[in-house]
Structure formats: C-alpha cells, structure tokens
Amino acid sequence: MMKRFLRVTLVLSAVAVALSALALHMGAAQAAPSSGQNQVSAAACGKWGVVPSPNGNGSSGLNTLAVVSANALWAVGNVNDPNTRVQTTLIEFWNGSQWQIVASPNPSPEFNTLYGVAAISANDAWAVGFYA
C-alpha cells in the first residue's frame, strides 16, 4: 500500500511539474511586449475584494490553487490545530460565490499537508502532498 501511494505521489508530482512548466512557457509566449502596447489597465481587471472562507479550525494556509473556470477553483494546504498541534490537510472549492471545505484524507495522526493541485474539471482534481 505504501509503495503504491509513493508511486502515485511521484507520478502526480511529475504531472504537476510538467503542467507548471507548460503554464510558464505559455505565459511567456503570451506576455505583452515591453513597449507598453497591449497592457491591461487596472480598471479592466475589476475590483479586488475579500471573500470569507471556512479555513477549518485553527491556523490554516493554502499553498496553491488550480483554476478550471470563474466558477470552479480548487485550493489546497493545511490546518494546524493550536491545542493538539496536529496538522491536517485542507482542500477548498470555489463554486463562483463561496468557498467550501472538501473532505480530504489524513494518513498520519500528526502531520499532513498538501502542496499541489491540478484540475481537469470542476469534478476532477488531483492533489499531492506529504505526511509524516
């Protein structure tokens, strides 16, 4: 079971790295020229706003996110319980109007965290992490 988990984790990590490299390559190819032409103004982007999220009980942090659409974002990280000092995984999903916590596994009784996520659709996301 442990070998299978490590194999799956390694494969998913490789996929996440490949997707990140592809995203960086595509982003560089689509970057605006340095002459100042085709730059987007701040007004065109809309306004930033604070949106509350559940974040679990305790001190939490989100490490990364995967964007499928404006109505489907996945974010992963961890939550630290201040009383027990146990760290558990945290997965949140944005449905276009609010964040919701999604149940996630915690193989260790003490330390679990998620570092990466890739999403194919609103219903098909994969996360990678670490436990000790």
Side-chain angles (χ1 to χ4, degrees):
M1 178 70 174
M2 180 60 130
K3 286 183 182 180
R4 183 170 186 245
F5 176 79
L6 290 174
R7 194 175 316 127
V8 169
T9 302
L10 286 173
V11 168
L12 291 176
S13 296
V15 169
V17 168
L19 289 174
S20 297
L22 180 61
L24 287 173
H25 176 70
M26 295 301 291
Q30 297 173 356
S34 60
S35 66
Q37 296 175 347
N38 300 325
Q39 291 185 358
V40 178
S41 70
C45 293
K47 293 183 180 181
W48 285 91
V50 176
V51 178
S53 63
N55 295 333
N57 298 324
S59 172
S60 62
L62 296 170
N63 294 322
T64 190
L65 63 90
V67 178
V68 177
S69 70
N71 297 322
L73 282 77
W74 291 93
V76 300
N78 59 63
V79 177
N80 292 300
D81 185 311
N83 298 321
T84 64
R85 301 181 89 118
V86 170
Q87 183 169 304
T88 56
T89 58
L90 175 63
I91 299 177
E92 294 192 21
F93 179 75
W94 173 258
N95 64 9
S97 61
Q98 66 180 4
W99 287 100
Q100 301 167 340
I101 291 180
V102 177
S104 57
N106 290 288
S108 169
E110 296 179 16
F111 180 85
N112 305 272
T113 190
L114 295 171
Y115 291 116
V117 62
I120 298 169
S121 70
N123 297 319
D124 193 356
W126 295 78
V128 295
F130 177 80
Y131 73 93

